Amino acid sequence: MDEKDILSLISNGENAAVEFKQSAIKPDQLAKEMVAFSNTQGGTILLGIEDSGQLVGVVGNLNYEEWSMNVARNNVVPAIELVCNEYQIQGKRIIALQIPKGKDRPYQTLSGKYLVRIGSTNRQATQPELMRLFQQAGFFHYDLTSVERTSFKDINLTAVDQYFSRYNIDFSQESEGEKVRLLQNTDILNANGKATVGGLTIFGINPQRYLPNASISFAHFQGKNIGDTLIDKQIIDGTLPNQIDRAVAILKNNIQKPSTIKGAKRVDTHQTYEDAVFRELVTNACVHRNYALTGAAIRIFLFANRMEFISPGRLPNTVTIEKLKVGVSFAINPVIVKFMENLRYIDKIGRGLPMVYQAAKSLGKQIEFKEVGEEFRVVLEL
Protein backbone atom coordinates (compact mmCIF):
# COMPACT_ATOMS: atom_id res chain seq x y z
CA MET A 1 0.00 0.00 0.00
CA ASP A 2 1.08 3.59 -0.60
CA GLU A 3 0.01 6.87 0.99
CA LYS A 4 -2.96 7.15 -1.39
CA ASP A 5 -4.20 3.70 -0.32
CA ILE A 6 -3.92 4.59 3.38
CA LEU A 7 -5.83 7.84 2.91
CA SER A 8 -8.52 5.93 1.04
CA LEU A 9 -8.87 3.46 3.93
CA ILE A 10 -9.13 6.30 6.42
CA SER A 11 -11.72 8.20 4.38
CA ASN A 12 -13.96 5.09 4.24
CA GLY A 13 -13.90 4.71 8.01
CA GLU A 14 -13.81 1.57 10.11
CA ASN A 15 -15.49 -1.46 8.57
CA ALA A 16 -15.22 -5.24 8.33
CA ALA A 17 -11.67 -4.94 6.97
CA VAL A 18 -10.29 -1.80 8.67
CA GLU A 19 -9.75 -0.84 12.32
CA PHE A 20 -8.37 2.44 13.72
CA LYS A 21 -6.30 2.49 16.91
CA GLN A 22 -4.29 5.08 18.80
CA SER A 23 -0.68 4.35 19.63
CA ALA A 24 -1.45 3.72 23.31
CA ILE A 25 -3.10 0.36 22.56
CA LYS A 26 -2.01 -2.46 24.85
CA PRO A 27 -0.73 -5.82 23.54
CA ASP A 28 -3.83 -7.72 24.72
CA GLN A 29 -6.12 -5.22 22.99
CA LEU A 30 -4.14 -5.45 19.78
CA ALA A 31 -4.20 -9.25 19.99
CA LYS A 32 -8.02 -9.17 20.07
CA GLU A 33 -8.06 -7.23 16.81
CA MET A 34 -5.58 -9.66 15.25
CA VAL A 35 -7.61 -12.69 16.34
CA ALA A 36 -10.88 -11.27 14.99
CA PHE A 37 -9.40 -10.43 11.59
CA SER A 38 -7.55 -13.75 11.31
CA ASN A 39 -10.71 -15.71 12.14
CA THR A 40 -12.69 -13.84 9.51
CA GLN A 41 -11.38 -12.49 6.20
CA GLY A 42 -8.31 -10.57 7.30
CA GLY A 43 -7.95 -6.81 7.45
CA THR A 44 -5.82 -3.78 8.24
CA ILE A 45 -5.17 -2.17 11.63
CA LEU A 46 -4.06 1.47 11.39
CA LEU A 47 -2.18 2.77 14.43
CA GLY A 48 -2.17 6.53 14.96
CA ILE A 49 -5.77 7.09 13.86
CA GLU A 50 -8.67 8.13 16.11
CA ASP A 51 -12.03 6.37 15.82
CA SER A 52 -13.30 9.48 14.06
CA GLY A 53 -10.64 9.10 11.38
CA GLN A 54 -8.48 11.99 12.62
CA LEU A 55 -4.76 11.47 12.11
CA VAL A 56 -2.89 11.82 15.40
CA GLY A 57 0.11 9.65 14.60
CA VAL A 58 2.16 7.45 16.89
CA VAL A 59 4.80 8.94 19.17
CA GLY A 60 8.05 7.79 20.66
CA ASN A 61 10.83 5.63 19.28
CA LEU A 62 9.14 2.26 19.62
CA ASN A 63 10.00 -0.23 16.88
CA TYR A 64 6.41 -1.04 15.92
CA GLU A 65 7.36 -3.78 13.49
CA GLU A 66 9.19 -5.75 16.17
CA TRP A 67 6.52 -4.96 18.78
CA SER A 68 3.59 -6.03 16.59
CA MET A 69 5.40 -9.19 15.51
CA ASN A 70 5.91 -10.09 19.17
CA VAL A 71 2.22 -9.52 19.90
CA ALA A 72 1.27 -11.74 16.96
CA ARG A 73 3.66 -14.41 18.18
CA ASN A 74 3.12 -14.26 21.94
CA ASN A 75 -0.46 -13.03 22.46
CA VAL A 76 -2.30 -14.94 19.72
CA VAL A 77 -2.82 -18.73 19.75
CA PRO A 78 -1.65 -20.10 17.38
CA ALA A 79 0.78 -17.39 16.29
CA ILE A 80 -0.06 -15.42 13.17
CA GLU A 81 2.00 -13.73 10.48
CA LEU A 82 1.43 -10.11 9.54
CA VAL A 83 2.96 -7.31 7.49
CA CYS A 84 3.93 -4.05 9.20
CA ASN A 85 4.58 -0.85 7.24
CA GLU A 86 5.24 2.70 8.39
CA TYR A 87 4.04 5.85 6.60
CA GLN A 88 4.51 9.61 6.99
CA ILE A 89 1.14 11.16 6.21
CA GLN A 90 0.40 14.84 6.74
CA GLY A 91 3.44 15.00 8.99
CA LYS A 92 2.15 12.13 11.16
CA ARG A 93 3.73 8.72 11.69
CA ILE A 94 1.13 6.05 10.81
CA ILE A 95 1.61 2.29 11.26
CA ALA A 96 -0.33 -0.15 9.06
CA LEU A 97 -0.63 -3.76 10.20
CA GLN A 98 -2.00 -6.04 7.49
CA ILE A 99 -3.54 -9.19 8.97
CA PRO A 100 -4.24 -12.01 6.49
CA LYS A 101 -7.13 -14.45 6.63
CA GLY A 102 -5.63 -17.12 8.89
CA LYS A 103 -4.51 -20.47 7.55
CA ASP A 104 -4.59 -22.06 11.01
CA ARG A 105 -8.03 -20.95 12.16
CA PRO A 106 -9.55 -20.78 14.66
CA TYR A 107 -7.36 -18.36 16.59
CA GLN A 108 -7.82 -17.30 20.19
CA THR A 109 -6.42 -14.81 22.68
CA LEU A 110 -4.30 -15.83 25.64
CA SER A 111 -7.47 -15.65 27.74
CA GLY A 112 -9.12 -18.24 25.48
CA LYS A 113 -11.49 -15.95 23.56
CA TYR A 114 -12.37 -16.80 19.96
CA LEU A 115 -13.30 -13.53 18.25
CA VAL A 116 -14.71 -12.77 14.80
CA ARG A 117 -15.10 -9.53 12.88
CA ILE A 118 -18.68 -8.43 12.27
CA GLY A 119 -18.96 -5.09 10.50
CA SER A 120 -16.73 -2.60 12.31
CA THR A 121 -16.78 -4.47 15.62
CA ASN A 122 -15.35 -7.65 17.12
CA ARG A 123 -17.46 -10.16 18.99
CA GLN A 124 -16.99 -13.53 20.60
CA ALA A 125 -17.76 -16.34 18.18
CA THR A 126 -21.09 -18.07 18.71
CA GLN A 127 -21.21 -21.85 18.94
CA PRO A 128 -22.26 -22.26 15.25
CA GLU A 129 -19.56 -19.82 14.13
CA LEU A 130 -16.92 -21.61 16.17
CA MET A 131 -18.09 -24.96 14.83
CA ARG A 132 -17.68 -23.68 11.27
CA LEU A 133 -14.18 -22.41 12.05
CA PHE A 134 -13.16 -25.83 13.36
CA GLN A 135 -14.83 -27.45 10.37
CA GLN A 136 -12.89 -25.28 7.91
CA ALA A 137 -9.70 -26.22 9.73
CA GLY A 138 -10.44 -29.92 9.32
CA PHE A 139 -10.66 -30.54 13.07
CA PHE A 140 -14.35 -31.38 12.90
CA HIS A 141 -16.45 -33.02 10.18
CA TYR A 142 -20.14 -32.28 10.32
CA ASP A 143 -21.10 -35.16 8.04
CA LEU A 144 -19.97 -37.54 10.81
CA THR A 145 -22.43 -36.10 13.32
CA SER A 146 -25.63 -37.96 14.07
CA VAL A 147 -29.07 -36.78 13.02
CA GLU A 148 -31.51 -36.66 15.91
CA ARG A 149 -34.60 -38.92 15.86
CA THR A 150 -33.16 -41.14 13.11
CA SER A 151 -32.46 -44.84 13.26
CA PHE A 152 -31.74 -47.94 11.21
CA LYS A 153 -35.28 -47.65 9.81
CA ASP A 154 -34.47 -44.38 8.03
CA ILE A 155 -31.86 -46.02 5.80
CA ASN A 156 -32.76 -47.37 2.37
CA LEU A 157 -31.46 -50.93 2.73
CA THR A 158 -31.93 -51.67 -0.97
CA ALA A 159 -29.55 -48.82 -1.85
CA VAL A 160 -27.13 -50.05 0.79
CA ASP A 161 -27.34 -53.59 -0.59
CA GLN A 162 -26.48 -52.31 -4.07
CA TYR A 163 -23.56 -50.35 -2.63
CA PHE A 164 -22.10 -53.31 -0.74
CA SER A 165 -22.53 -55.61 -3.74
CA ARG A 166 -19.61 -53.73 -5.31
CA TYR A 167 -17.45 -55.36 -2.63
CA ASN A 168 -19.00 -58.83 -2.98
CA ILE A 169 -20.95 -58.44 0.26
CA ASP A 170 -24.51 -59.78 0.20
CA PHE A 171 -25.91 -57.27 2.66
CA SER A 172 -29.50 -58.50 2.30
CA GLN A 173 -28.56 -61.93 3.63
CA GLU A 174 -26.87 -60.67 6.79
CA SER A 175 -28.55 -60.77 10.19
CA GLU A 176 -30.00 -57.53 11.50
CA GLY A 177 -27.21 -57.28 14.05
CA GLU A 178 -24.56 -57.73 11.35
CA LYS A 179 -26.32 -55.17 9.14
CA VAL A 180 -26.16 -52.62 11.93
CA ARG A 181 -22.47 -53.40 12.48
CA LEU A 182 -21.70 -52.90 8.79
CA LEU A 183 -23.61 -49.61 8.73
CA GLN A 184 -21.72 -48.39 11.79
CA ASN A 185 -18.33 -49.47 10.42
CA THR A 186 -18.97 -47.47 7.25
CA ASP A 187 -20.23 -44.36 9.13
CA ILE A 188 -23.77 -44.64 7.79
CA LEU A 189 -24.89 -45.06 11.41
CA ASN A 190 -23.05 -43.90 14.50
CA ALA A 191 -22.27 -46.00 17.56
CA ASN A 192 -25.71 -45.23 19.04
CA GLY A 193 -27.57 -46.43 15.95
CA LYS A 194 -28.50 -42.98 14.62
CA ALA A 195 -27.91 -42.04 11.00
CA THR A 196 -25.01 -39.71 10.32
CA VAL A 197 -25.45 -36.66 8.11
CA GLY A 198 -23.30 -38.37 5.48
CA GLY A 199 -25.18 -41.65 5.71
CA LEU A 200 -28.61 -40.02 5.56
CA THR A 201 -27.80 -37.77 2.57
CA ILE A 202 -26.48 -40.73 0.55
CA PHE A 203 -28.69 -43.63 1.69
CA GLY A 204 -31.65 -42.04 3.49
CA ILE A 205 -35.24 -43.00 2.65
CA ASN A 206 -36.34 -39.37 3.02
CA PRO A 207 -33.32 -37.19 3.95
CA GLN A 208 -35.32 -33.94 3.84
CA ARG A 209 -37.58 -35.15 6.66
CA TYR A 210 -34.68 -34.46 9.03
CA LEU A 211 -32.44 -32.23 6.89
CA PRO A 212 -34.95 -29.97 5.08
CA ASN A 213 -32.26 -27.77 3.53
CA ALA A 214 -30.18 -30.64 2.14
CA SER A 215 -31.67 -29.95 -1.28
CA ILE A 216 -31.21 -27.91 -4.46
CA SER A 217 -33.33 -24.93 -5.44
CA PHE A 218 -33.36 -24.36 -9.23
CA ALA A 219 -34.67 -21.26 -10.99
CA HIS A 220 -34.57 -20.29 -14.69
CA PHE A 221 -34.97 -16.60 -15.50
CA GLN A 222 -35.76 -15.20 -18.93
CA GLY A 223 -33.33 -12.30 -18.65
CA LYS A 224 -30.08 -11.51 -16.88
CA ASN A 225 -31.42 -10.63 -13.43
CA ILE A 226 -33.32 -12.35 -10.62
CA GLY A 227 -36.14 -9.86 -11.02
CA ASP A 228 -36.81 -10.95 -14.60
CA THR A 229 -39.60 -13.30 -15.69
CA LEU A 230 -39.33 -16.74 -14.10
CA ILE A 231 -39.48 -19.54 -16.68
CA ASP A 232 -39.03 -22.55 -14.40
CA LYS A 233 -38.61 -23.19 -10.69
CA GLN A 234 -38.06 -26.52 -8.95
CA ILE A 235 -36.98 -27.93 -5.61
CA ILE A 236 -34.77 -30.97 -6.09
CA ASP A 237 -34.60 -33.28 -3.10
CA GLY A 238 -33.91 -36.93 -2.30
CA THR A 239 -30.47 -38.43 -1.79
CA LEU A 240 -27.40 -36.69 -3.21
CA PRO A 241 -27.03 -39.11 -6.16
CA ASN A 242 -30.69 -38.51 -7.06
CA GLN A 243 -30.31 -34.75 -6.68
CA ILE A 244 -27.30 -34.65 -8.97
CA ASP A 245 -28.90 -36.77 -11.69
CA ARG A 246 -32.15 -34.78 -11.60
CA ALA A 247 -30.40 -31.40 -11.53
CA VAL A 248 -28.29 -32.22 -14.59
CA ALA A 249 -31.40 -33.43 -16.47
CA ILE A 250 -33.29 -30.25 -15.55
CA LEU A 251 -30.41 -28.07 -16.69
CA LYS A 252 -30.22 -29.87 -20.03
CA ASN A 253 -33.95 -29.42 -20.55
CA ASN A 254 -33.80 -25.71 -19.75
CA ILE A 255 -30.73 -24.71 -21.74
CA GLN A 256 -31.66 -23.59 -25.22
CA LYS A 257 -29.54 -24.90 -28.07
CA PRO A 258 -29.97 -22.80 -31.24
CA SER A 259 -29.82 -25.06 -34.30
CA THR A 260 -30.49 -25.19 -38.01
CA ILE A 261 -31.30 -27.85 -40.57
CA LYS A 262 -28.46 -28.86 -42.89
CA GLY A 263 -29.46 -31.51 -45.34
CA ALA A 264 -31.29 -34.17 -43.39
CA LYS A 265 -29.70 -33.28 -40.03
CA ARG A 266 -30.29 -30.69 -37.32
CA VAL A 267 -26.96 -29.02 -36.45
CA ASP A 268 -26.28 -26.85 -33.36
CA THR A 269 -25.33 -23.29 -34.29
CA HIS A 270 -24.04 -22.36 -30.84
CA GLN A 271 -21.25 -24.17 -29.02
CA THR A 272 -22.18 -25.20 -25.50
CA TYR A 273 -20.70 -27.19 -22.67
CA GLU A 274 -20.57 -30.95 -22.39
CA ASP A 275 -22.90 -32.52 -19.81
CA ALA A 276 -19.83 -33.39 -17.73
CA VAL A 277 -19.34 -29.69 -16.94
CA PHE A 278 -22.82 -29.31 -15.44
CA ARG A 279 -22.52 -32.62 -13.64
CA GLU A 280 -19.22 -31.58 -12.05
CA LEU A 281 -20.53 -28.24 -10.84
CA VAL A 282 -23.67 -29.77 -9.33
CA THR A 283 -21.67 -32.60 -7.73
CA ASN A 284 -19.10 -30.18 -6.33
CA ALA A 285 -21.86 -28.11 -4.73
CA CYS A 286 -23.51 -31.18 -3.17
CA VAL A 287 -20.34 -32.84 -1.91
CA HIS A 288 -18.50 -29.81 -0.55
CA ARG A 289 -21.30 -27.66 0.87
CA ASN A 290 -21.43 -26.94 4.59
CA TYR A 291 -24.36 -28.98 5.92
CA ALA A 292 -23.99 -27.28 9.31
CA LEU A 293 -25.45 -24.09 7.84
CA THR A 294 -29.16 -24.46 8.53
CA GLY A 295 -31.65 -22.46 6.52
CA ALA A 296 -29.54 -22.58 3.36
CA ALA A 297 -29.99 -24.86 0.35
CA ILE A 298 -27.85 -25.14 -2.76
CA ARG A 299 -29.13 -22.75 -5.41
CA ILE A 300 -28.72 -23.03 -9.17
CA PHE A 301 -29.76 -20.00 -11.22
CA LEU A 302 -29.99 -20.09 -15.01
CA PHE A 303 -29.99 -16.70 -16.74
CA ALA A 304 -29.94 -15.72 -20.41
CA ASN A 305 -26.18 -15.19 -20.32
CA ARG A 306 -24.87 -17.27 -17.42
CA MET A 307 -25.40 -19.97 -14.82
CA GLU A 308 -24.72 -19.60 -11.10
CA PHE A 309 -24.06 -22.48 -8.72
CA ILE A 310 -24.27 -21.29 -5.10
CA SER A 311 -23.21 -23.60 -2.30
CA PRO A 312 -23.53 -22.81 1.45
CA GLY A 313 -20.16 -22.59 3.17
CA ARG A 314 -16.76 -21.04 2.63
CA LEU A 315 -13.57 -22.66 1.37
CA PRO A 316 -11.40 -24.50 3.91
CA ASN A 317 -8.45 -22.68 5.48
CA THR A 318 -5.75 -23.89 3.10
CA VAL A 319 -7.74 -23.69 -0.16
CA THR A 320 -7.78 -20.53 -2.28
CA ILE A 321 -9.62 -19.63 -5.48
CA GLU A 322 -6.39 -19.95 -7.49
CA LYS A 323 -5.67 -23.37 -6.04
CA LEU A 324 -9.10 -24.60 -7.10
CA LYS A 325 -8.25 -23.92 -10.74
CA VAL A 326 -5.29 -26.29 -10.63
CA GLY A 327 -7.02 -29.06 -8.72
CA VAL A 328 -6.20 -28.51 -5.05
CA SER A 329 -9.06 -29.85 -2.96
CA PHE A 330 -9.93 -30.56 0.66
CA ALA A 331 -12.65 -32.86 1.96
CA ILE A 332 -14.95 -30.83 4.20
CA ASN A 333 -17.27 -33.85 4.22
CA PRO A 334 -15.01 -36.93 4.14
CA VAL A 335 -17.86 -39.42 4.65
CA ILE A 336 -19.83 -38.00 1.75
CA VAL A 337 -16.68 -37.82 -0.39
CA LYS A 338 -15.94 -41.49 0.35
CA PHE A 339 -19.38 -42.67 -0.71
CA MET A 340 -19.61 -40.43 -3.78
CA GLU A 341 -16.18 -41.56 -4.93
CA ASN A 342 -17.18 -45.20 -4.56
CA LEU A 343 -20.41 -44.46 -6.45
CA ARG A 344 -18.28 -42.95 -9.26
CA TYR A 345 -19.59 -39.40 -8.94
CA ILE A 346 -16.14 -38.00 -8.14
CA ASP A 347 -12.58 -39.21 -8.54
CA LYS A 348 -11.13 -37.39 -5.49
CA ILE A 349 -7.96 -36.34 -7.32
CA GLY A 350 -9.00 -32.80 -8.03
CA ARG A 351 -9.65 -32.99 -11.77
CA GLY A 352 -13.23 -31.70 -11.71
CA LEU A 353 -12.98 -27.92 -11.37
CA PRO A 354 -9.84 -27.66 -13.55
CA MET A 355 -11.79 -29.54 -16.25
CA VAL A 356 -14.64 -27.02 -15.93
CA TYR A 357 -12.18 -24.11 -16.05
CA GLN A 358 -10.50 -25.46 -19.21
CA ALA A 359 -13.87 -26.22 -20.83
CA ALA A 360 -14.97 -22.60 -20.39
CA LYS A 361 -11.61 -21.32 -21.60
CA SER A 362 -11.72 -23.52 -24.74
CA LEU A 363 -15.13 -22.04 -25.63
CA GLY A 364 -13.92 -18.51 -25.03
CA LYS A 365 -16.26 -18.17 -22.04
CA GLN A 366 -15.65 -16.64 -18.64
CA ILE A 367 -15.89 -18.60 -15.40
CA GLU A 368 -15.62 -17.08 -11.95
CA PHE A 369 -15.07 -18.74 -8.58
CA LYS A 370 -15.75 -16.52 -5.60
CA GLU A 371 -16.75 -16.43 -1.94
CA VAL A 372 -19.65 -14.19 -1.02
CA GLY A 373 -20.45 -14.07 2.68
CA GLU A 374 -20.92 -17.65 3.88
CA GLU A 375 -21.31 -19.03 0.36
CA PHE A 376 -19.12 -20.31 -2.46
CA ARG A 377 -20.30 -19.32 -5.92
CA VAL A 378 -19.38 -20.44 -9.44
CA VAL A 379 -20.54 -18.18 -12.27
CA LEU A 380 -20.37 -19.79 -15.73
CA GLU A 381 -20.87 -17.70 -18.85
CA LEU A 382 -23.14 -19.22 -21.49
Side-chain angles (χ1 to χ4, degrees):
M1 293 190 294
D2 56 22
E3 180 178 340
K4 184 179 179 181
D5 295 324
I6 298 297
L7 288 173
S8 177
L9 291 179
I10 296 172
S11 66
N12 289 327
E14 292 181 316
N15 53 52
V18 178
E19 176 71 20
F20 300 155
K21 289 295 178 185
Q22 296 185 19
S23 59
I25 185 172
K26 297 179 180 179
D28 286 346
Q29 293 175 314
L30 183 60
K32 290 180 180 179
E33 304 295 340
M34 293 179 174
V35 166
F37 278 132
S38 295
N39 277 338
T40 315
Q41 296 305 305
T44 301
I45 303 171
L46 295 177
L47 302 181
I49 309 292
E50 299 239 358
D51 289 343
S52 63
Q54 180 182 350
L55 280 72
V56 294
V58 299
V59 296
N61 298 319
L62 178 65
N63 183 331
Y64 278 93
E65 181 175 18
E66 180 180 356
W67 177 72
S68 62
M69 295 291 184
N70 285 335
V71 173
R73 187 182 307 113
N74 300 322
N75 296 70
V76 177
V77 182
I80 65 170
E81 296 181 1
L82 56 83
V83 176
C84 177
N85 289 298
E86 183 174 324
Y87 302 86
Q88 287 292 329
I89 300 178
Q90 299 176 7
K92 307 291 185 179
R93 184 184 176 200
I94 305 299
I95 307 298
L97 305 178
Q98 291 178 265
I99 314 297
K101 172 184 173 181
K103 295 181 179 180
D104 298 315
R105 293 181 297 175
Y107 296 87
Q108 60 181 313
T109 63
L110 288 179
S111 61
K113 291 184 177 179
Y114 294 93
L115 302 168
V116 292
R117 186 78 174 181
I118 304 296
S120 60
T121 62
N122 303 329
R123 76 178 189 197
Q124 196 154 346
T126 62
Q127 185 178 13
E129 288 169 338
L130 190 56
M131 182 174 64
R132 290 197 291 271
L133 286 171
F134 276 105
Q135 189 175 3
Q136 289 172 329
F139 299 141
F140 166 74
H141 299 296
Y142 189 77
D143 63 342
L144 271 169
T145 61
S146 62
V147 181
E148 290 300 315
R149 299 183 292 111
T150 61
S151 68
F152 178 85
K153 295 179 180 179
D154 292 293
I155 300 301
N156 184 335
L157 300 185
T158 300
V160 172
D161 186 35
Q162 293 172 350
Y163 178 80
F164 278 116
S165 68
R166 298 168 180 265
Y167 307 99
N168 297 317
I169 298 174
D170 192 348
F171 182 82
S172 64
Q173 297 303 310
E174 301 289 345
S175 66
E176 184 166 332
E178 183 61 15
K179 287 178 180 177
V180 170
R181 189 187 70 82
L182 285 169
L183 294 177
Q184 290 174 330
N185 287 347
T186 51
D187 296 317
I188 296 173
L189 298 179
N190 73 352
N192 295 322
K194 294 179 180 178
T196 64
V197 170
L200 192 66
T201 55
I202 304 295
F203 299 106
I205 293 174
N206 181 10
Q208 284 68 40
R209 177 183 178 186
Y210 305 99
L211 302 172
N213 295 298
S215 58
I216 300 174
S217 176
F218 170 79
H220 181 185
F221 300 93
Q222 189 172 40
K224 300 178 181 180
N225 302 295
I226 287 182
D228 292 332
T229 302
L230 188 63
I231 297 175
D232 188 14
K233 182 180 181 180
Q234 298 191 45
I235 300 298
I236 307 169
D237 53 20
T239 62
L240 294 189
N242 289 339
Q243 288 184 42
I244 293 168
D245 294 341
R246 286 181 57 203
V248 172
I250 289 170
L251 283 171
K252 289 172 62 178
N253 289 336
N254 275 269
I255 293 176
Q256 297 180 357
K257 294 184 177 181
S259 61
T260 187
I261 301 296
K262 287 188 177 181
K265 293 184 179 180
R266 180 173 292 277
V267 180
D268 291 340
T269 59
H270 178 74
Q271 281 188 306
T272 188
Y273 300 96
E274 298 290 336
D275 293 351
V277 170
F278 304 137
R279 187 177 182 84
E280 172 58 32
L281 290 174
V282 176
T283 301
N284 188 75
C286 289
V287 170
H288 298 298
R289 69 155 289 179
N290 187 344
Y291 287 91
L293 288 171
T294 58
I298 293 168
R299 304 192 302 285
I300 300 176
F301 295 149
L302 175 59
F303 298 95
N305 63 336
R306 71 190 187 281
M307 300 174 64
E308 295 187 7
F309 298 80
I310 305 167
S311 180
R314 303 188 65 86
L315 295 174
N317 290 355
T318 57
V319 179
T320 64
I321 298 296
E322 290 305 312
K323 286 182 178 180
L324 287 177
K325 297 176 183 178
V326 296
V328 174
S329 61
F330 182 94
I332 295 176
N333 301 305
V335 175
I336 292 175
V337 166
K338 173 185 67 176
F339 289 132
M340 295 301 278
E341 181 189 16
N342 292 340
L343 291 169
R344 303 294 188 266
Y345 280 83
I346 59 175
D347 62 17
K348 203 182 171 184
I349 58 178
R351 295 187 298 183
L353 289 183
M355 177 273 291
V356 171
Y357 180 75
Q358 291 301 323
K361 187 176 178 180
S362 67
L363 292 174
K365 305 293 186 180
Q366 296 293 319
I367 183 170
E368 183 179 12
F369 304 108
K370 58 184 178 180
E371 290 181 303
V372 180
E374 287 294 327
E375 296 178 330
F376 176 68
R377 184 173 301 199
V378 179
V379 181
L380 184 68
E381 182 185 8
L382 293 177

